[in-house]
Amino acid sequence: MPSLTGFQGVTARRSGVALAAALLAGWVAQVPVLAAQRVSSSITLSGVSLRYVDTVNTGAATLSPSVGFSWPRATAGFTGAFSQFGSGGWAAQGALSGSGIFPVKPWLAGEIAGSAAGTAHSDDTRTGQALGIARVHLMRRDAGFWLGGGLGQTWDREFRNGLRQVEAGAWARIDRGTVVATISPTAVGDSIRYTDSQVLGSWELNRVELTASAGWRIGSRLPAYGSDKRLWANTQVVWWAGSQISLVVGAGTYPVDLTQGFPGGRYGTVGIRLSTRRQPRKSGWAGKHDNELAGATASGITAFLVDTSGGQRLVRVRAPSASSVEISGDFTRWESVSMIASADGWWSVALPIVPGTYQVSIRLNQGEWQVPPGLVAITDEFGGMSGVLVIEDRTL
């Protein structure tokens, strides 16, 4: 029976790479505040047209839930999919993943990550895979590189095989987009050896999000599982019709899944997604990604300063025309905190912020949350914008 496992696996890998780039862009916070957890979730109902092993055509209705949790130094998530085929039969897939970041220096961090996935089909086929991996990251504000390796296992009803993987990758933020490149030499059992390389790009254009990727595989004496294609490409467009509903359109090809023994194919999909997401930003400010915003900004904020001496950090914002100023960030558990005005146009508040890297937003006059001037802008998991604030430990 045809399976959507390969197509969904590519989608999961693509989402994982994008999540890793987003995590690295805002990469590290040194305060383990569990109450600062942020939750994002979505559910997508889509129709899929699948050409399986270049010979079998089928269609399916697919329901795909997902939920993600984010802390200052860690992420965790679940994705799933249930597909009902037009020709009869069904397929289900679920995956758990988690990652923790351990900062060493502002430019150096370690990471421990793990994932587990499984599939079930109406023909009683069952498969599973688990992988643990450690990575070392070198990074600057808008670019980074990592190197890692891990061990795991794959299994079905009859066989179990060891899984070994080494990986290297690089990422860069360019204006409103992120580009990620990876290479992953992999060994399954005693006989399968191959290397996958992939380049992924994602861009945000107001209400539209674009994602595209291309990959290729090298290796010798690889099992074909009905297809020997070693090149693949995918594209996806998400159009936000409102703050929590979007139209998702995608198409592409996916490779043979050599870890679980599924063939490759090609697909097209159209769906409706409901998700937790902040209201999309207005076009007048959505493109402000400059790393060094100096002087006055159109938002009315002309300066943003943090006094890093002592345990209490005095946060100051210069906004002469504002009638109210609020700050929100990881260090406030994403609760809004009002700032106090002074006669010279400055607003201030003292907060207990320990050394680390945080996400922070400011708003004036109960308006939209925005990035403070002088900070690197990143997109959070709700589709909003925050600034990356680094509080260094002067005792080191």
Side-chain angles (χ1 to χ4, degrees), residues 304 315 317 325-329 331-332 335-339 349 351 360-363 369:
F304 175 80
V315 182
V317 172
V325 178
E326 297 166 90
I327 186 171
S328 176
F331 45 80
T332 71
E335 296 179 359
S336 173
V337 176
S338 297
M339 305 184 75
V349 64
L351 297 169
V360 58
S361 299
I362 300 289
R363 71 174 176 180
W369 291 100

Side-chain angles (χ1 to χ4, degrees), residues 39-276:
V39 181
S40 60
S41 60
S42 70
I43 186 165
T44 305
L45 177 62
S46 57
V48 180
S49 175
L50 179 70
R51 184 173 177 83
Y52 175 75
V53 201
D54 294 333
T55 58
V56 178
N57 290 307
T58 188
T62 300
L63 187 66
S64 305
S66 71
V67 60
F69 302 88
S70 176
W71 296 269
R73 296 195 321 190
T75 62
F78 167 80
T79 59
F82 179 84
S83 301
Q84 180 66 53
F85 295 96
S87 56
W90 54 267
Q93 174 177 311
L96 292 168
S97 63
S99 176
I101 292 285
F102 305 95
V104 180
K105 297 288 185 180
W107 50 269
L108 176 66
E111 179 189 6
I112 299 294
S115 63
T119 68
H121 305 262
S122 56
D123 62 1
D124 208 31
T125 303
R126 302 287 188 273
T127 68
Q129 175 182 317
L131 177 66
I133 194 164
R135 302 182 180 98
V136 175
H137 298 275
L138 301 174
M139 65 205 74
R140 301 175 63 184
R141 282 190 169 187
D142 292 312
F145 169 82
W146 78 87
L147 183 66
L151 299 173
Q153 192 172 67
T154 68
W155 61 89
D156 56 26
R157 285 187 175 274
E158 298 181 5
F159 301 102
R160 288 180 177 266
N161 287 300
L163 175 63
R164 303 178 299 280
Q165 181 174 298
V166 178
E167 66 175 37
W171 61 272
R173 291 188 60 86
I174 304 172
D175 191 27
R176 303 187 193 186
T178 301
V179 178
V180 184
T182 63
I183 182 169
S184 304
T186 303
V188 182
D190 297 327
S191 58
I192 300 177
R193 304 287 187 275
Y194 64 97
T195 298
D196 283 352
S197 301
Q198 181 169 263
V199 176
L200 177 145
S202 61
W203 295 265
E204 295 186 8
L205 304 171
N206 299 327
R207 290 183 177 271
V208 178
E209 299 172 8
L210 307 175
T211 304
S213 65
W216 58 98
R217 173 175 294 162
I218 59 174
S220 59
R221 299 187 301 275
L222 296 179
Y225 296 117
S227 174
D228 60 358
K229 290 187 176 181
R230 301 187 183 185
L231 300 174
W232 64 90
N234 300 272
T235 184
Q236 178 177 273
V237 179
V238 179
W239 176 71
W240 287 93
S243 61
Q244 294 180 304
I245 185 169
S246 59
L247 174 67
V248 182
V249 180
T253 59
Y254 57 89
V256 173
D257 186 342
L258 294 173
T259 60
Q260 298 190 66
F262 291 110
R266 62 188 66 181
Y267 70 94
T269 179
V270 177
I272 298 294
R273 178 175 297 164
L274 300 176
S275 61
T276 54

